[in-house]
Amino acid sequence: MKELLTIDHLRTFFKTEAGTVRAVDDVSLQIKPGETVCIVGESGSGKSITAMSIMGLIESAGGKVEGGSIQFQDRDLLKLSRNELRTIRGHEIAMIFQEPMSSLNPVLKIGEQVIEPLMEHQKLGRKAARKRAIELIKQVGISRAEQIIDAYPHELSGGMLQRVMIAMAISCGPKLLIADEPTTALDVTIQAQILDLLRSLKGESGMSILLITHDLGVVAEMADYVAVMYAGKIVEQGEVEAIFANPKHPYTKGLLRSKPIMNQLQDELYSIPGQVPNPLELTESCYFHDRCEQCMAICRTKQPALVPVGESQQAACWLYEEEKRYA
Ligand code: SF4
């Protein structure tokens, strides 16, 4: 099946007074129609910057896309004008964020904020847009839609606000929904409801989802395909079943070991030793070498490339390069 989105060798950097932060460095990833792809990693791994690069939000955040391409259907998003990108953002690609409150205007009623994009992008009149807004709010599982539409954001719970954001995001029938940590700020029960909602909306519409998360529980629930990011690079990617059953990269193995499981005491929980490296102090080594129990001499001097490992995975680790050499 032809890919909906193809990210090819994307490099997004931020120049600071202290030096250049290579927030996303040579990332390639594909999303097929109807597929849910999760990017997982610790904070600072580059997963949100990858999403922002797709949305064309890098310059306003002070960064620059230095290289690569982001092909959405037949268009390279990095080559579009501001207006063309704005049209795609409203119609074909939508995004929801961790903190719905930061995306909503606190002094405008919910209805105004849902109605306005419907009038702008779908060219609906005010009355028709209000009717459609009520339908959308019902579709995301809010039963008192007629009352909620006249409420202000501060009158709603975090879970309700995230549902409103999802209603706004799906209002134009996007082909791709990017969800950046959409459940992180919510309590566990509401998290599960929002994930259920995303899954059922995807089932109804056939849209693809790019889900950014640090939570492997969310990955297990949602993903068809997973990319594990570390210090701006993809270190492992593959089908979700393969990654969970047989992780290859030592970082992925560490993440899976540190995932809480039922009946496990908190103090038995594994945590990967050490810290993510300072992005201003990256060298030519494997970026994970300081934290890796299997580190070899070559890992300290040379960076491994992402290579096929097994049937459906790729990993960037000298263990597999070495394996190939002596096979
Ligand atoms: Fe560990 Fe070396 Fe693999 Fe890096 S390349 S993850 S240091 S074994």
Side-chain angles (χ1 to χ4, degrees), residues 187-246:
D187 73 44
V188 179
T189 322
I190 309 297
Q191 271 187 25
Q193 291 172 6
I194 295 291
L195 294 179
D196 276 349
L197 173 62
L198 288 175
R199 246 195 321 258
S200 78
L201 291 171
K202 185 189 122 167
E204 285 164 21
S205 70
M207 67 184 173
S208 306
I209 298 180
L210 176 62
L211 186 56
I212 311 293
T213 182
H214 66 280
D215 184 341
L216 282 165
V218 171
V219 176
E221 288 252 330
M222 299 291 291
D224 299 307
Y225 192 89
V226 192
V228 182
M229 282 192 79
Y230 188 78
K233 290 189 173 286
I234 292 180
V235 294
E236 180 161 5
Q237 60 181 341
E239 306 284 341
V240 69
E241 293 85 5
I243 299 267
F244 273 74
N246 194 5

Side-chain angles (χ1 to χ4, degrees), residues 55-56 59-60 77-89:
M55 293 299 281
E59 279 185 25
S60 53
L77 298 181
L78 300 180
K79 294 202 173 123
L80 297 183
S81 68
R82 243 171 235 244
N83 273 348
E84 289 169 323
L85 195 56
R86 195 155 174 259
T87 308
I88 288 190
R89 268 209 304 255

Side-chain angles (χ1 to χ4, degrees), residues 249-251 286-290 292-296 299 304 316-319:
H249 196 282
Y251 178 59
C286 165
Y287 296 160
F288 191 60
H289 80 271
D290 275 349
C292 181
E293 289 166 7
Q294 291 168 280
C295 180
M296 303 169 283
C299 310
C317 174
W318 285 115
L319 288 172

Side-chain angles (χ1 to χ4, degrees), residues 12-238:
T12 304
F13 298 171
F14 288 78
K15 292 211 162 61
T16 70
E17 282 181 9
T20 299
V21 173
R22 301 163 79 96
V24 173
D25 194 3
D26 201 18
V27 161
S28 297
L29 186 67
Q30 300 176 335
I31 305 176
K32 296 189 184 82
E35 186 178 45
T36 298
V37 172
C38 284
I39 303 182
V40 66
E42 292 166 280
S43 69
S45 60
K47 52 194 194 310
S48 292
I49 302 297
T50 304
M52 287 170 70
S53 304
I54 300 168
M55 293 299 281
L57 300 173
I58 290 300
E59 279 185 25
S60 53
K64 190 166 178 223
V65 176
E66 299 280 350
S69 63
I70 303 175
Q71 202 76 25
F72 179 70
Q73 294 175 314
D74 297 327
R75 292 152 290 179
D76 183 350
L77 298 181
L78 300 180
K79 294 202 173 123
L80 297 183
S81 68
R82 243 171 235 244
N83 273 348
E84 289 169 323
L85 195 56
R86 195 155 174 259
T87 308
I88 288 190
R89 268 209 304 255
H91 277 107
E92 296 174 77
I93 306 178
M95 185 163 179
I96 55 171
F97 299 89
Q98 178 175 336
E99 278 296 343
M101 214 35 188
S102 63
S103 308
L104 288 165
N105 185 333
V107 299
L108 280 183
K109 288 180 178 174
I110 293 295
E112 284 305 307
Q113 303 189 56
V114 184
I115 288 167
E116 195 254 335
L118 288 168
M119 291 175 69
E120 186 187 335
H121 294 298
Q122 308 236 313
K123 309 292 176 224
L124 295 180
R126 175 159 290 277
K127 209 168 156 202
R130 183 177 167 92
K131 187 164 169 269
R132 178 74 185 126
I134 291 173
E135 284 167 10
L136 284 163
I137 291 174
K138 284 185 178 159
Q139 194 183 347
V140 296
I142 299 177
S143 50
R144 293 180 302 113
E146 287 85 352
Q147 283 96 58
I148 293 300
I149 205 163
D150 288 322
Y152 287 96
H154 73 267
E155 296 178 276
L156 305 189
S157 67
M160 292 265 257
L161 288 174
Q162 195 56 289
R163 286 178 191 271
V164 169
M165 290 308 303
I166 294 170
M168 289 168 73
I170 61 165
S171 64
C172 298
K175 294 189 175 77
L176 174 64
L177 176 68
I178 301 177
D180 188 356
E181 302 273 11
T183 59
T184 303
L186 305 173
D187 73 44
V188 179
T189 322
I190 309 297
Q191 271 187 25
Q193 291 172 6
I194 295 291
L195 294 179
D196 276 349
L197 173 62
L198 288 175
R199 246 195 321 258
S200 78
L201 291 171
K202 185 189 122 167
E204 285 164 21
S205 70
M207 67 184 173
S208 306
I209 298 180
L210 176 62
L211 186 56
I212 311 293
T213 182
H214 66 280
D215 184 341
L216 282 165
V218 171
V219 176
E221 288 252 330
M222 299 291 291
D224 299 307
Y225 192 89
V226 192
V228 182
M229 282 192 79
Y230 188 78
K233 290 189 173 286
I234 292 180
V235 294
E236 180 161 5
Q237 60 181 341

